[in-house]
Amino acid sequence: MNIRNFYLFALAFNFVFISCSNPKNESATMLIYGGTIYTVDSLITVEAVAIKNDKIIFTGSLEDANEFKTKDTKLIDLEGKTMTPGLIEGHGHFMGLGYNELNLDLMNTTSYQSIVDAVAERVKTVKPGEWITGRGWHQSKWDSMPAETVHGFQTHYLLSEVSPDNPVYLRHASGHAGFANEKAMEIAGLINLSIDGVKEYEVEGGEVLVDASGKPTGVFNERAQTLITQHIPERTPESDIKAFELAVKACHKNGITSFHDAGIPRETIELYNKMKAEGKMETRIYAMLTGWDEDLLNEWFNKGTMVDSDNLFTIRSVKLNCDGALGSRGAWLLEPYSDRPGHFGHETLPMEFVKKTAINGLKYGFQVCSHAIGDRANREILDRYEIAFKEVPSSVSDHRFRIEHAQHLHPEDIPRFAELQVIPAMQAVHMSSDRPWAIDRLGEKRIKEGAYMWQSLLQSGVPIVNGTDVPVEPVNPIPSFYASVSRKTLKGTPEGGYEPEQKMTRAQALKSYTLDPAFGAFEEDIKGSISVGKLADFTIYDQDLMTVDENEILDTKITMTIFGGKIVYDSAE
């Protein structure tokens, strides 16, 4: 059974299931009514939903729902608002979300000077020698570029002037590059190397940008970042807990009830287990093991997957980082960058390891999720998946292997996703943020034939898992929904959208944030739609995303988030 037929069968089963009557002697702990409720089962709407503890026990008319009401039932009148299944962040970094709240948030900076100013302010509040870290800058989104650049990136001198006594390291929004000041490079021993006449820094899978004299500019691409990051003090247990709590709070505020955490190390696994044991796991986390730690992968292959009976914390997948980002020119391309001739990006993980991990994933029951942005990275990964499928044919029937991002594809590789039943996890908001400058990297032909090919992939028969890649983009799902259906920037340009034939319909966009990511995590039987027997996770909005004028979508606010039958966020409080 191919991926489309399996998916349609699951939908049909759920639709039949919700149509069945329920025992009239069951009582509801919560009854929701009074607004538009989209179930996402064939996008039908219902008048009311009855909940018992953390499960849905009825969907249908208000008259029938009232039979489940008792004097103890909590009543939620939507007062004309709209409710959908709880939204699922299909690809993000949970602790990155939390730490973005703790460290310098540079996501809204519009120039190099604004970064310098932010660091100068932080210098006033820290001790000499204390590290200053942050994330979110993106040179291609600035209003203007500084006079001195190398390969389109700023140099460290202005930053170093305002922070002579504090090492500074600021991650690019993509996470695939970083920017260090002189103090940080001095600690890393790189300043002395340049004095000694070293002009090239050999880092497999990465690049240290240097100026004409061979001095490092402060920009470190891909795996070269470790030259600096290995010197940054490790996070503390206290800061980890604080970041976790902030991430949960941010999810609640943004209507996110489940989160696909794209690559976690053993320390984070321990933290999540601790948070669950203490009752603080109020977002359902579907975690991918980081592929950077082969020992960790082998441990889990030996002991097997962890599918949580409480539906709070699940480990059954692996995340492989196979190339870089387009903004830092690290995405691995088949042809050179249009704005940097001779440069093809970076293969950040050997393809032999991808093949080995794919084979092990099939053997031991683990889904493999590979980061690929460039067209060559996508092709190479599809090739390795295909080899693995042929080598372990007995485990291929429902593997649900994924490619994370799948941003830029060669046209010949688009149908291969459906042929191989590989799920693309694509963050629509990246198109909104990147498309205005991505054409400089790829040129018009590659953009139009293979960039952000949502509708082509959907029509081929695969679901799309949506999300934000937070903290690369803010976790707010509304901009990603808007980008999905409009193909515009968040400023509403251009008229009609970029490559409008690739727009999602609103029904497709809603599914890409609910039932499709549930399917992408083997969880469509417990979440992703408002169906009897599924978890009582809901997101409530102040207006109807499915009917409001396109120009008003970005004005939509999350007014309430319900997790496991409990209100965890209420904008009125």
Side-chain angles (χ1 to χ4, degrees), residues 386-445:
E386 187 169 12
I387 291 169
F389 297 159
K390 290 177 180 176
E391 187 159 327
V392 194
S394 60
S395 302
V396 174
S397 60
D398 190 26
H399 57 78
R400 304 196 199 184
F401 278 21
R402 293 167 42 164
I403 289 186
E404 308 300 304
H405 310 307
Q407 270 183 257
H408 307 289
L409 310 172
H410 190 283
E412 293 176 3
D413 292 320
I414 294 171
R416 296 181 68 196
F417 282 81
E419 291 165 6
L420 297 173
Q421 300 181 39
V422 172
I423 300 169
M426 307 173 76
Q427 300 72 52
V429 71
H430 284 339
M431 190 287 310
S432 182
S433 295
D434 298 358
R435 176 58 181 82
W437 53 262
I439 194 167
D440 297 331
R441 302 285 194 273
L442 300 174
E444 185 176 8
K445 185 176 188 297

Short mmCIF file of all heavy atoms in Angstrom, two decimals, residues 386-445:
data_model
loop_
_atom_site.label_atom_id
_atom_site.label_comp_id
_atom_site.label_asym_id
_atom_site.label_seq_id
_atom_site.Cartn_x
_atom_site.Cartn_y
_atom_site.Cartn_z
N GLU A 386 17.05 5.03 -1.03
CA GLU A 386 16.65 4.01 -2.01
C GLU A 386 17.53 2.77 -1.89
O GLU A 386 17.03 1.63 -1.96
CB GLU A 386 16.72 4.58 -3.42
CG GLU A 386 16.16 3.66 -4.48
CD GLU A 386 15.99 4.33 -5.83
OE1 GLU A 386 16.51 5.45 -6.02
OE2 GLU A 386 15.33 3.73 -6.70
N ILE A 387 18.84 2.98 -1.71
CA ILE A 387 19.75 1.85 -1.52
C ILE A 387 19.35 1.05 -0.29
O ILE A 387 19.30 -0.19 -0.30
CB ILE A 387 21.21 2.35 -1.39
CG1 ILE A 387 21.70 2.91 -2.72
CG2 ILE A 387 22.13 1.22 -0.92
CD1 ILE A 387 23.02 3.67 -2.62
N ALA A 388 19.04 1.77 0.81
CA ALA A 388 18.64 1.10 2.06
C ALA A 388 17.35 0.32 1.87
O ALA A 388 17.21 -0.81 2.37
CB ALA A 388 18.50 2.13 3.17
N PHE A 389 16.37 0.90 1.16
CA PHE A 389 15.10 0.23 0.95
C PHE A 389 15.29 -1.09 0.19
O PHE A 389 14.61 -2.08 0.45
CB PHE A 389 14.13 1.13 0.19
CG PHE A 389 13.76 2.40 0.92
CD1 PHE A 389 13.28 3.50 0.22
CD2 PHE A 389 13.90 2.50 2.29
CE1 PHE A 389 12.94 4.68 0.88
CE2 PHE A 389 13.58 3.68 2.96
CZ PHE A 389 13.10 4.77 2.25
N LYS A 390 16.22 -1.08 -0.74
CA LYS A 390 16.49 -2.30 -1.53
C LYS A 390 17.24 -3.34 -0.70
O LYS A 390 17.07 -4.54 -0.89
CB LYS A 390 17.28 -1.94 -2.78
CG LYS A 390 16.47 -1.16 -3.80
CD LYS A 390 17.32 -0.75 -5.00
CE LYS A 390 16.48 0.03 -6.01
NZ LYS A 390 17.30 0.52 -7.16
N GLU A 391 18.06 -2.86 0.24
CA GLU A 391 18.85 -3.78 1.05
C GLU A 391 18.03 -4.42 2.16
O GLU A 391 18.29 -5.55 2.57
CB GLU A 391 20.06 -3.04 1.65
CG GLU A 391 21.02 -3.97 2.37
CD GLU A 391 22.41 -3.40 2.51
OE1 GLU A 391 22.85 -2.66 1.62
OE2 GLU A 391 23.06 -3.70 3.52
N VAL A 392 17.03 -3.68 2.67
CA VAL A 392 16.19 -4.22 3.75
C VAL A 392 14.72 -4.15 3.31
O VAL A 392 13.91 -3.42 3.91
CB VAL A 392 16.40 -3.43 5.06
CG1 VAL A 392 15.81 -4.20 6.25
CG2 VAL A 392 17.87 -3.14 5.33
N PRO A 393 14.35 -4.87 2.27
CA PRO A 393 12.99 -4.74 1.70
C PRO A 393 11.88 -5.14 2.66
O PRO A 393 10.76 -4.64 2.55
CB PRO A 393 13.04 -5.66 0.48
CG PRO A 393 14.12 -6.65 0.79
CD PRO A 393 15.15 -5.89 1.57
N SER A 394 12.19 -6.00 3.61
CA SER A 394 11.14 -6.47 4.52
C SER A 394 10.63 -5.39 5.47
O SER A 394 9.57 -5.54 6.08
CB SER A 394 11.66 -7.65 5.35
OG SER A 394 12.79 -7.26 6.13
N SER A 395 11.39 -4.27 5.61
CA SER A 395 11.02 -3.22 6.56
C SER A 395 10.57 -1.93 5.88
O SER A 395 10.53 -0.88 6.51
CB SER A 395 12.21 -2.92 7.49
OG SER A 395 12.62 -4.06 8.18
N VAL A 396 10.25 -2.00 4.60
CA VAL A 396 10.00 -0.79 3.83
C VAL A 396 8.53 -0.40 3.77
O VAL A 396 8.19 0.72 3.41
CB VAL A 396 10.58 -0.95 2.40
CG1 VAL A 396 10.23 0.21 1.50
CG2 VAL A 396 12.09 -1.11 2.47
N SER A 397 7.61 -1.26 4.19
CA SER A 397 6.19 -1.03 3.94
C SER A 397 5.66 0.25 4.56
O SER A 397 4.79 0.91 4.00
CB SER A 397 5.37 -2.23 4.42
OG SER A 397 5.56 -2.41 5.82
N ASP A 398 6.18 0.64 5.72
CA ASP A 398 5.66 1.85 6.38
C ASP A 398 6.79 2.53 7.15
O ASP A 398 6.69 2.79 8.34
CB ASP A 398 4.51 1.49 7.31
CG ASP A 398 3.77 2.73 7.83
OD1 ASP A 398 3.81 3.77 7.14
OD2 ASP A 398 3.17 2.64 8.92
N HIS A 399 7.86 2.88 6.43
CA HIS A 399 9.05 3.43 7.09
C HIS A 399 8.88 4.89 7.48
O HIS A 399 9.42 5.35 8.47
CB HIS A 399 10.27 3.29 6.17
CG HIS A 399 10.09 3.93 4.83
ND1 HIS A 399 10.20 5.29 4.64
CD2 HIS A 399 9.79 3.40 3.62
CE1 HIS A 399 9.98 5.57 3.36
NE2 HIS A 399 9.72 4.45 2.72
N ARG A 400 8.16 5.66 6.67
CA ARG A 400 7.91 7.09 6.87
C ARG A 400 9.20 7.90 7.06
O ARG A 400 9.25 8.86 7.84
CB ARG A 400 6.94 7.33 8.02
CG ARG A 400 5.62 6.59 7.83
CD ARG A 400 4.53 7.10 8.73
NE ARG A 400 3.47 6.08 8.83
CZ ARG A 400 2.33 6.23 9.49
NH1 ARG A 400 2.08 7.36 10.10
NH2 ARG A 400 1.44 5.24 9.53
N PHE A 401 10.25 7.52 6.34
CA PHE A 401 11.47 8.32 6.35
C PHE A 401 11.14 9.73 5.85
O PHE A 401 10.23 9.92 5.04
CB PHE A 401 12.53 7.70 5.44
CG PHE A 401 13.32 6.58 6.08
CD1 PHE A 401 12.83 5.88 7.19
CD2 PHE A 401 14.55 6.20 5.57
CE1 PHE A 401 13.56 4.86 7.77
CE2 PHE A 401 15.29 5.18 6.15
CZ PHE A 401 14.79 4.50 7.25
N ARG A 402 11.88 10.70 6.35
CA ARG A 402 11.61 12.10 6.02
C ARG A 402 12.86 12.79 5.50
O ARG A 402 13.98 12.38 5.79
CB ARG A 402 11.12 12.84 7.28
CG ARG A 402 9.79 12.40 7.78
CD ARG A 402 9.40 12.87 9.16
NE ARG A 402 9.70 14.25 9.50
CZ ARG A 402 9.16 14.88 10.53
NH1 ARG A 402 8.26 14.27 11.30
NH2 ARG A 402 9.48 16.13 10.82
N ILE A 403 12.64 13.87 4.76
CA ILE A 403 13.69 14.84 4.48
C ILE A 403 13.22 16.15 5.07
O ILE A 403 12.14 16.66 4.75
CB ILE A 403 14.00 14.98 2.98
CG1 ILE A 403 14.70 13.70 2.48
CG2 ILE A 403 14.88 16.20 2.73
CD1 ILE A 403 15.18 13.77 1.04
N GLU A 404 14.04 16.68 5.98
CA GLU A 404 13.71 17.92 6.66
C GLU A 404 14.12 19.12 5.81
O GLU A 404 15.28 19.22 5.41
CB GLU A 404 14.41 17.97 8.02
CG GLU A 404 14.18 16.74 8.89
CD GLU A 404 12.71 16.50 9.21
OE1 GLU A 404 12.07 17.42 9.77
OE2 GLU A 404 12.21 15.39 8.92
N HIS A 405 13.19 19.95 5.49
CA HIS A 405 13.32 21.19 4.70
C HIS A 405 13.01 20.94 3.23
O HIS A 405 12.12 21.57 2.68
CB HIS A 405 14.67 21.88 4.88
CG HIS A 405 15.07 22.06 6.30
ND1 HIS A 405 14.24 22.68 7.22
CD2 HIS A 405 16.18 21.67 6.99
CE1 HIS A 405 14.83 22.67 8.40
NE2 HIS A 405 15.99 22.06 8.31
N ALA A 406 13.78 20.06 2.56
CA ALA A 406 13.52 19.77 1.14
C ALA A 406 13.24 21.05 0.36
O ALA A 406 12.34 21.08 -0.49
CB ALA A 406 12.34 18.79 1.01
N GLN A 407 14.02 22.08 0.63
CA GLN A 407 13.70 23.40 0.08
C GLN A 407 13.93 23.53 -1.41
O GLN A 407 13.13 24.12 -2.13
CB GLN A 407 14.53 24.47 0.81
CG GLN A 407 13.84 25.03 2.04
CD GLN A 407 14.65 26.12 2.70
OE1 GLN A 407 15.29 25.89 3.71
NE2 GLN A 407 14.65 27.30 2.14
N HIS A 408 15.06 23.00 -1.88
CA HIS A 408 15.44 23.23 -3.27
C HIS A 408 15.74 21.88 -3.93
O HIS A 408 16.72 21.22 -3.59
CB HIS A 408 16.64 24.17 -3.35
CG HIS A 408 16.40 25.43 -2.58
ND1 HIS A 408 15.52 26.39 -3.00
CD2 HIS A 408 16.87 25.87 -1.40
CE1 HIS A 408 15.47 27.38 -2.12
NE2 HIS A 408 16.28 27.08 -1.13
N LEU A 409 14.88 21.51 -4.86
CA LEU A 409 14.93 20.19 -5.48
C LEU A 409 15.21 20.30 -6.96
O LEU A 409 14.75 21.23 -7.62
CB LEU A 409 13.60 19.46 -5.27
CG LEU A 409 13.05 19.41 -3.84
CD1 LEU A 409 11.65 18.82 -3.84
CD2 LEU A 409 13.97 18.61 -2.93
N HIS A 410 15.94 19.33 -7.50
CA HIS A 410 16.02 19.22 -8.95
C HIS A 410 14.68 18.68 -9.42
O HIS A 410 14.11 17.76 -8.79
CB HIS A 410 17.16 18.29 -9.34
CG HIS A 410 17.46 18.31 -10.81
ND1 HIS A 410 16.68 17.64 -11.73
CD2 HIS A 410 18.43 18.95 -11.52
CE1 HIS A 410 17.17 17.85 -12.95
NE2 HIS A 410 18.24 18.65 -12.84
N PRO A 411 14.13 19.20 -10.53
CA PRO A 411 12.81 18.74 -10.99
C PRO A 411 12.70 17.22 -11.11
O PRO A 411 11.62 16.66 -10.87
CB PRO A 411 12.66 19.43 -12.35
CG PRO A 411 13.49 20.67 -12.23
CD PRO A 411 14.65 20.29 -11.38
N GLU A 412 13.79 16.56 -11.48
CA GLU A 412 13.74 15.10 -11.64
C GLU A 412 13.55 14.38 -10.31
O GLU A 412 13.13 13.22 -10.29
CB GLU A 412 15.03 14.61 -12.32
CG GLU A 412 15.18 15.09 -13.76
CD GLU A 412 16.52 14.66 -14.36
OE1 GLU A 412 17.29 13.94 -13.67
OE2 GLU A 412 16.79 15.04 -15.51
N ASP A 413 13.86 15.05 -9.21
CA ASP A 413 13.76 14.40 -7.90
C ASP A 413 12.42 14.61 -7.22
O ASP A 413 12.12 13.94 -6.23
CB ASP A 413 14.89 14.90 -6.99
CG ASP A 413 16.26 14.44 -7.44
OD1 ASP A 413 16.36 13.27 -7.86
OD2 ASP A 413 17.21 15.24 -7.40
N ILE A 414 11.60 15.52 -7.72
CA ILE A 414 10.31 15.80 -7.08
C ILE A 414 9.42 14.55 -7.02
O ILE A 414 8.90 14.21 -5.95
CB ILE A 414 9.59 16.98 -7.76
CG1 ILE A 414 10.39 18.27 -7.53
CG2 ILE A 414 8.16 17.13 -7.25
CD1 ILE A 414 9.91 19.46 -8.32
N PRO A 415 9.25 13.81 -8.12
CA PRO A 415 8.38 12.62 -8.04
C PRO A 415 8.98 11.48 -7.22
O PRO A 415 8.26 10.56 -6.82
CB PRO A 415 8.21 12.20 -9.51
CG PRO A 415 9.37 12.80 -10.23
CD PRO A 415 9.68 14.07 -9.51
N ARG A 416 10.27 11.54 -6.92
CA ARG A 416 10.90 10.45 -6.17
C ARG A 416 10.41 10.38 -4.73
O ARG A 416 10.45 9.30 -4.12
CB ARG A 416 12.43 10.60 -6.20
CG ARG A 416 13.03 10.48 -7.59
CD ARG A 416 14.55 10.60 -7.53
NE ARG A 416 15.15 9.46 -6.85
CZ ARG A 416 16.41 9.45 -6.39
NH1 ARG A 416 17.14 10.54 -6.47
NH2 ARG A 416 16.89 8.37 -5.80
N PHE A 417 9.94 11.50 -4.17
CA PHE A 417 9.42 11.46 -2.81
C PHE A 417 8.24 10.49 -2.72
O PHE A 417 8.19 9.65 -1.81
CB PHE A 417 9.00 12.86 -2.36
CG PHE A 417 10.15 13.75 -1.97
CD1 PHE A 417 10.91 14.41 -2.92
CD2 PHE A 417 10.49 13.91 -0.63
CE1 PHE A 417 11.97 15.23 -2.56
CE2 PHE A 417 11.55 14.72 -0.25
CZ PHE A 417 12.30 15.38 -1.22
N ALA A 418 7.31 10.62 -3.65
CA ALA A 418 6.15 9.72 -3.65
C ALA A 418 6.56 8.30 -4.02
O ALA A 418 6.06 7.33 -3.43
CB ALA A 418 5.08 10.23 -4.61
N GLU A 419 7.45 8.16 -4.97
CA GLU A 419 7.89 6.83 -5.40
C GLU A 419 8.54 6.07 -4.26
O GLU A 419 8.34 4.85 -4.11
CB GLU A 419 8.86 6.96 -6.57
CG GLU A 419 8.22 7.44 -7.86
CD GLU A 419 9.23 7.90 -8.89
OE1 GLU A 419 10.45 7.73 -8.64
OE2 GLU A 419 8.83 8.44 -9.94
N LEU A 420 9.31 6.77 -3.44
CA LEU A 420 10.01 6.14 -2.33
C LEU A 420 9.25 6.26 -1.01
O LEU A 420 9.70 5.76 0.01
CB LEU A 420 11.40 6.77 -2.17
CG LEU A 420 12.36 6.61 -3.35
CD1 LEU A 420 13.63 7.43 -3.13
CD2 LEU A 420 12.70 5.13 -3.56
N GLN A 421 8.08 6.94 -1.04
CA GLN A 421 7.25 7.17 0.15
C GLN A 421 8.03 7.93 1.23
O GLN A 421 7.95 7.62 2.42
CB GLN A 421 6.71 5.84 0.69
CG GLN A 421 5.85 5.09 -0.31
CD GLN A 421 5.31 3.78 0.25
OE1 GLN A 421 4.93 3.72 1.40
NE2 GLN A 421 5.29 2.75 -0.59
N VAL A 422 8.78 8.94 0.81
CA VAL A 422 9.54 9.79 1.71
C VAL A 422 8.74 11.07 1.97
O VAL A 422 8.23 11.69 1.03
CB VAL A 422 10.92 10.13 1.12
CG1 VAL A 422 11.65 11.18 1.96
CG2 VAL A 422 11.76 8.86 1.01
N ILE A 423 8.65 11.46 3.22
CA ILE A 423 7.83 12.62 3.61
C ILE A 423 8.69 13.87 3.66
O ILE A 423 9.70 13.91 4.36
CB ILE A 423 7.20 12.38 5.00
CG1 ILE A 423 6.30 11.14 4.98
CG2 ILE A 423 6.42 13.61 5.46
CD1 ILE A 423 5.85 10.69 6.36
N PRO A 424 8.30 14.93 2.94
CA PRO A 424 9.01 16.20 3.06
C PRO A 424 8.47 17.02 4.24
O PRO A 424 7.27 17.22 4.36
CB PRO A 424 8.71 16.90 1.73
CG PRO A 424 7.38 16.36 1.31
CD PRO A 424 7.27 14.97 1.88
N ALA A 425 9.36 17.44 5.13
CA ALA A 425 8.99 18.33 6.24
C ALA A 425 9.49 19.72 5.87
O ALA A 425 10.68 20.01 5.96
CB ALA A 425 9.62 17.85 7.55
N MET A 426 8.56 20.58 5.42
CA MET A 426 8.93 21.86 4.80
C MET A 426 8.30 23.01 5.60
O MET A 426 7.10 23.01 5.86
CB MET A 426 8.45 21.89 3.35
CG MET A 426 8.92 20.71 2.53
SD MET A 426 8.20 20.64 0.88
CE MET A 426 9.14 21.92 0.06
N GLN A 427 9.10 23.98 5.96
CA GLN A 427 8.63 25.10 6.75
C GLN A 427 8.26 26.25 5.81
O GLN A 427 9.14 26.93 5.27
CB GLN A 427 9.70 25.53 7.76
CG GLN A 427 10.08 24.43 8.73
CD GLN A 427 10.90 23.31 8.12
OE1 GLN A 427 11.91 23.56 7.48
NE2 GLN A 427 10.47 22.07 8.31
N ALA A 428 6.97 26.45 5.63
CA ALA A 428 6.50 27.41 4.63
C ALA A 428 7.02 28.82 4.88
O ALA A 428 7.29 29.58 3.94
CB ALA A 428 4.98 27.41 4.58
N VAL A 429 7.19 29.18 6.15
CA VAL A 429 7.64 30.54 6.47
C VAL A 429 9.04 30.81 5.93
O VAL A 429 9.41 31.97 5.71
CB VAL A 429 7.55 30.78 7.99
CG1 VAL A 429 8.61 29.99 8.75
CG2 VAL A 429 7.62 32.27 8.31
N HIS A 430 9.83 29.75 5.69
CA HIS A 430 11.15 29.96 5.09
C HIS A 430 11.02 30.59 3.69
O HIS A 430 11.86 31.41 3.30
CB HIS A 430 11.91 28.63 4.97
CG HIS A 430 12.47 28.14 6.27
ND1 HIS A 430 12.71 28.95 7.34
CD2 HIS A 430 12.86 26.89 6.65
CE1 HIS A 430 13.22 28.23 8.34
NE2 HIS A 430 13.31 26.98 7.94
N MET A 431 10.00 30.17 2.95
CA MET A 431 9.78 30.77 1.63
C MET A 431 9.51 32.26 1.78
O MET A 431 10.09 33.09 1.05
CB MET A 431 8.60 30.08 0.94
CG MET A 431 8.41 30.43 -0.53
SD MET A 431 7.76 32.07 -0.92
CE MET A 431 6.34 32.18 0.13
N SER A 432 8.68 32.61 2.74
CA SER A 432 8.34 34.01 2.95
C SER A 432 9.57 34.83 3.32
O SER A 432 9.75 35.95 2.83
CB SER A 432 7.29 34.11 4.07
OG SER A 432 6.90 35.43 4.28
N SER A 433 10.44 34.27 4.14
CA SER A 433 11.62 34.99 4.59
C SER A 433 12.75 34.98 3.57
O SER A 433 13.49 35.96 3.43
CB SER A 433 12.13 34.38 5.90
OG SER A 433 11.20 34.55 6.93
N ASP A 434 12.89 33.86 2.85
CA ASP A 434 14.08 33.64 2.03
C ASP A 434 13.90 33.97 0.55
O ASP A 434 14.88 34.31 -0.13
CB ASP A 434 14.54 32.19 2.13
CG ASP A 434 14.93 31.79 3.53
OD1 ASP A 434 14.88 32.65 4.43
OD2 ASP A 434 15.26 30.61 3.75
N ARG A 435 12.68 33.83 0.05
CA ARG A 435 12.49 33.91 -1.40
C ARG A 435 12.99 35.22 -2.01
O ARG A 435 13.59 35.21 -3.11
CB ARG A 435 11.01 33.69 -1.74
CG ARG A 435 10.65 33.85 -3.21
CD ARG A 435 11.42 32.92 -4.13
NE ARG A 435 11.04 33.13 -5.51
CZ ARG A 435 11.51 34.09 -6.29
NH1 ARG A 435 12.39 34.97 -5.81
NH2 ARG A 435 11.11 34.21 -7.55
N PRO A 436 12.85 36.39 -1.34
CA PRO A 436 13.31 37.63 -1.97
C PRO A 436 14.81 37.64 -2.29
O PRO A 436 15.23 38.24 -3.28
CB PRO A 436 12.97 38.71 -0.92
CG PRO A 436 11.79 38.14 -0.19
CD PRO A 436 12.08 36.67 -0.10
N TRP A 437 15.62 36.97 -1.45
CA TRP A 437 17.06 36.95 -1.73
C TRP A 437 17.55 35.60 -2.24
O TRP A 437 18.67 35.49 -2.76
CB TRP A 437 17.86 37.33 -0.47
CG TRP A 437 17.54 36.53 0.76
CD1 TRP A 437 16.71 36.90 1.77
CD2 TRP A 437 18.03 35.23 1.10
NE1 TRP A 437 16.66 35.91 2.73
CE2 TRP A 437 17.46 34.88 2.35
CE3 TRP A 437 18.90 34.33 0.48
CZ2 TRP A 437 17.73 33.66 2.97
CZ3 TRP A 437 19.17 33.11 1.11
CH2 TRP A 437 18.59 32.79 2.33
N ALA A 438 16.75 34.55 -2.10
CA ALA A 438 17.16 33.21 -2.56
C ALA A 438 17.43 33.20 -4.06
O ALA A 438 18.28 32.43 -4.54
CB ALA A 438 16.09 32.18 -2.21
N ILE A 439 16.74 34.05 -4.79
CA ILE A 439 16.96 34.11 -6.24
C ILE A 439 18.38 34.55 -6.56
O ILE A 439 18.95 34.16 -7.59
CB ILE A 439 15.90 35.02 -6.91
CG1 ILE A 439 15.90 34.81 -8.42
CG2 ILE A 439 16.12 36.49 -6.53
CD1 ILE A 439 14.71 35.41 -9.12
N ASP A 440 19.00 35.32 -5.66
CA ASP A 440 20.40 35.70 -5.86
C ASP A 440 21.32 34.50 -5.73
O ASP A 440 22.35 34.42 -6.40
CB ASP A 440 20.81 36.78 -4.85
CG ASP A 440 20.03 38.06 -5.00
OD1 ASP A 440 19.59 38.36 -6.13
OD2 ASP A 440 19.85 38.77 -4.00
N ARG A 441 20.97 33.58 -4.84
CA ARG A 441 21.79 32.39 -4.63
C ARG A 441 21.64 31.38 -5.77
O ARG A 441 22.59 30.73 -6.18
CB ARG A 441 21.40 31.70 -3.31
CG ARG A 441 21.51 32.54 -2.07
CD ARG A 441 22.95 32.74 -1.63
NE ARG A 441 22.99 33.27 -0.27
CZ ARG A 441 22.94 34.57 0.02
NH1 ARG A 441 22.84 35.46 -0.95
NH2 ARG A 441 22.98 34.97 1.28
N LEU A 442 20.39 31.21 -6.24
CA LEU A 442 20.09 30.12 -7.16
C LEU A 442 19.82 30.54 -8.60
O LEU A 442 19.95 29.73 -9.51
CB LEU A 442 18.87 29.34 -6.65
CG LEU A 442 18.99 28.71 -5.27
CD1 LEU A 442 17.66 28.10 -4.85
CD2 LEU A 442 20.08 27.65 -5.25
N GLY A 443 19.42 31.78 -8.80
CA GLY A 443 19.02 32.20 -10.13
C GLY A 443 17.56 31.85 -10.41
O GLY A 443 16.98 30.98 -9.75
N GLU A 444 16.97 32.52 -11.37
CA GLU A 444 15.53 32.39 -11.63
C GLU A 444 15.13 30.97 -12.04
O GLU A 444 14.11 30.45 -11.58
CB GLU A 444 15.10 33.38 -12.71
CG GLU A 444 13.60 33.40 -12.95
CD GLU A 444 13.19 34.46 -13.95
OE1 GLU A 444 14.08 35.08 -14.57
OE2 GLU A 444 11.97 34.69 -14.09
N LYS A 445 15.92 30.32 -12.88
CA LYS A 445 15.53 29.00 -13.38
C LYS A 445 15.41 27.98 -12.25
O LYS A 445 14.40 27.26 -12.14
CB LYS A 445 16.54 28.51 -14.42
CG LYS A 445 16.17 27.20 -15.11
CD LYS A 445 17.18 26.85 -16.20
CE LYS A 445 16.72 25.65 -17.03
NZ LYS A 445 16.60 24.41 -16.22
#
